[in-house]
Amino acid sequence: MVSLPKIDLKNPESVVKEIFDDDRWVKDEFSSHCAAEILEFGKALADSFGKFPQLDALTENDEQAAFVAGFVHGIFDDLLTSMKLLVTGKLMASGNLMRQAIEGVAVAILCSSRKLILVPDTNKKKPAIMIKYWESVKNEDERVNSNKAPRQLCKNCDALNISIVGAQELMKARDKYHQFSHPSMMALASRMSLGEIGTLFVGGSFDMAKLPGYKKEIEERTNLCRTLPNLIDGLMRNLKATQHE
């Protein structure tokens, strides 16, 4: 059993040492117990990224396509960084980036539409309005804040030619990782040892009692990676469509 390092938060030198520590012991534990799962993630991300140059090729002289490609690149970055945080034992920060990756999927789809998108007005008493979504994102319009994107996606499935079931599943995934973005019971549990009652973690941890949960989190990231080739295909279809509005 690994002896957990002690961090004296009353000592500035100890705090600074922890800031620059590479959490090698945590990574070694993940490598030992989750090697196969991590390899599957690596394969899934690499295979998916092989599609990205096709999308990137559409960006020349097309600002809208460039926006879409930028958000898709961000999804890959979020997923990779989320895994890096996970294997250094920073579960909450890792989950927060998963939420960002999921919202990035919704934003990319909405931005890829050559059609107008229906969104609620900021004044709830007024009717919803039709907008060029990507231009509103560019202008930082509060009506298209990224946290609203999964719900807006569900409201525009017909216009975007996507499955309502798929959009709703994306909403469920975002709602799951919403709790990783705020103080919550999940946050409390992530910093408590299930294997050694009374032990609290700070900075990063590996708790053998949470191994099934760690493997599930790796699987969630792998599964999202595997959806990205189909996502990119759909985005390219949208961007190649003729704009009628």
Side-chain angles (χ1 to χ4, degrees):
M1 182 175 177
V2 175
S3 178
L4 300 181
K6 304 295 183 182
I7 304 168
D8 183 4
L9 294 181
K10 302 186 298 297
N11 184 335
E13 291 182 2
S14 179
V15 172
V16 172
K17 181 180 178 182
E18 175 60 21
I19 290 171
F20 286 97
D21 189 86
D22 66 358
D23 298 295
R24 185 72 260 167
W25 77 271
V26 183
K27 293 176 183 176
D28 287 344
E29 289 294 298
F30 272 97
S31 179
S32 175
H33 298 288
C34 305
E37 292 82 1
I38 293 169
L39 179 59
E40 282 302 304
F41 170 83
K43 290 178 178 177
L45 191 145
D47 288 346
S48 297
F49 195 75
K51 271 274 186 181
F52 182 75
Q54 297 177 39
L55 175 62
D56 196 46
L58 301 179
T59 62
E60 187 175 358
N61 299 319
D62 189 335
E63 188 179 9
Q64 182 177 358
F67 258 76
V68 174
F71 282 115
V72 173
H73 184 273
I75 295 167
F76 283 107
D77 181 37
D78 288 339
L79 281 167
L80 180 59
T81 307
S82 178
M83 271 297 297
K84 290 181 72 171
L85 288 168
L86 181 59
V87 301
T88 53
K90 298 166 180 65
L91 182 61
M92 295 304 293
S94 174
N96 184 281
L97 274 182
M98 265 295 281
R99 173 186 170 177
Q100 186 164 307
I102 291 164
E103 290 179 351
V105 171
V107 171
I109 296 172
L110 289 160
C111 282
S112 73
S113 178
R114 300 294 192 184
K115 301 177 181 180
L116 298 179
I117 296 295
L118 182 70
V119 300
D121 194 89
T122 49
N123 185 341
K124 294 182 180 180
K125 294 181 180 179
K126 293 184 178 181
I129 60 173
M130 304 293 288
I131 63 171
K132 288 184 178 180
Y133 199 91
W134 78 273
E135 288 187 351
S136 293
V137 170
K138 175 183 176 181
N139 295 326
E140 299 184 296
D141 187 331
E142 65 181 66
R143 290 173 297 193
V144 294
N145 287 343
S146 60
N147 65 300
K148 301 174 182 177
R151 191 171 304 279
Q152 291 169 346
L153 193 67
C154 291
K155 298 292 186 182
N156 287 276
C157 288
D158 289 342
L160 294 162
N161 196 29
I162 61 173
S163 162
I164 182 63
V165 174
Q168 289 172 341
E169 286 300 314
L170 198 68
M171 269 287 296
K172 290 179 184 177
R174 196 287 300 269
D175 289 346
K176 171 189 172 180
Y177 285 102
H178 177 77
Q179 63 186 319
F180 287 79
S181 304
H182 304 280
S184 62
M185 292 302 294
M186 174 67 74
L188 287 175
S190 73
R191 298 182 178 102
M192 294 180 179
S193 172
L194 299 182
E196 295 184 36
I197 303 302
T199 298
L200 298 177
F201 299 119
V202 64
S205 63
F206 182 92
D207 183 358
M208 191 64 188
K210 296 175 183 174
L211 182 59
Y214 295 148
K215 292 192 174 188
K216 179 63 177 175
E217 287 300 315
I218 296 170
E219 182 184 7
E220 294 280 2
R221 287 151 182 77
T222 303
N223 289 340
L224 183 53
C225 282
R226 287 174 176 152
T227 70
L228 297 182
N230 286 338
L231 170 69
I232 291 173
D233 282 339
L235 298 175
M236 290 192 295
R237 283 194 300 271
N238 288 347
L239 291 167
K240 291 176 181 178
T242 302
Q243 183 175 356
H244 297 293
E245 288 79 11

